[in-house]
Amino acid sequence: MARPHGRCASGPTRGATGPVRRAAGLLALTAVAVGAAGCGANTEAYAELQSAMTAHITHVDHRPVASVSCTPHVHDTVRGDTAHLRCVVAFKDGTSYTANAEIENQNSGGRHNMPDLYRWDSPPN
């Protein structure tokens, strides 16, 4: 679920409800987050995750996000490893939810220069 160090890309979301929603979230996030993630080589991994979540939930789930705050503050991911985080997503309508999230570094074995992948629980209906 994480991507290579210093690269910006996003991966699939993990829905909290059923395989159909998960599959739809996977496709949607891959399409949106890759184009929407605005990050640089020195951006902290958790901040990139927060940006990807904000863009995806706002533009794909059509739920305007006021803020996303994830812990722990993961600076970078280890090759082939996955970081597990908890993120509080606050919506502009005043509601919020807490999502389990992951940052997966895809660089392992013979693979390198691969982007991190992000996954998180989908917002409740």
Side-chain angles (χ1 to χ4, degrees), residues 63-79:
R63 305 263 321 258
V65 173
S67 66
V68 177
S69 179
C70 298
T71 57
H73 288 178
V74 176
H75 301 289
D76 209 349
T77 53
V78 177
R79 291 179 64 89

Side-chain angles (χ1 to χ4, degrees), residues 13-90:
T13 59
R14 181 182 65 214
T17 60
V20 173
R21 183 166 180 164
R22 286 185 202 134
L26 290 173
L27 293 173
L29 178 60
T30 300
V32 169
V34 170
C39 55
N42 295 323
T43 303
E44 305 287 354
Y46 79 96
E48 291 179 13
L49 168 65
Q50 292 172 173
S51 293
M53 290 178 73
T54 299
H56 179 80
I57 295 169
T58 297
H59 300 294
V60 176
D61 292 337
H62 306 291
R63 305 263 321 258
V65 173
S67 66
V68 177
S69 179
C70 298
T71 57
H73 288 178
V74 176
H75 301 289
D76 209 349
T77 53
V78 177
R79 291 179 64 89
D81 203 5
T82 300
H84 301 274
L85 300 91
R86 301 262 308 157
C87 302
V88 176
V89 178

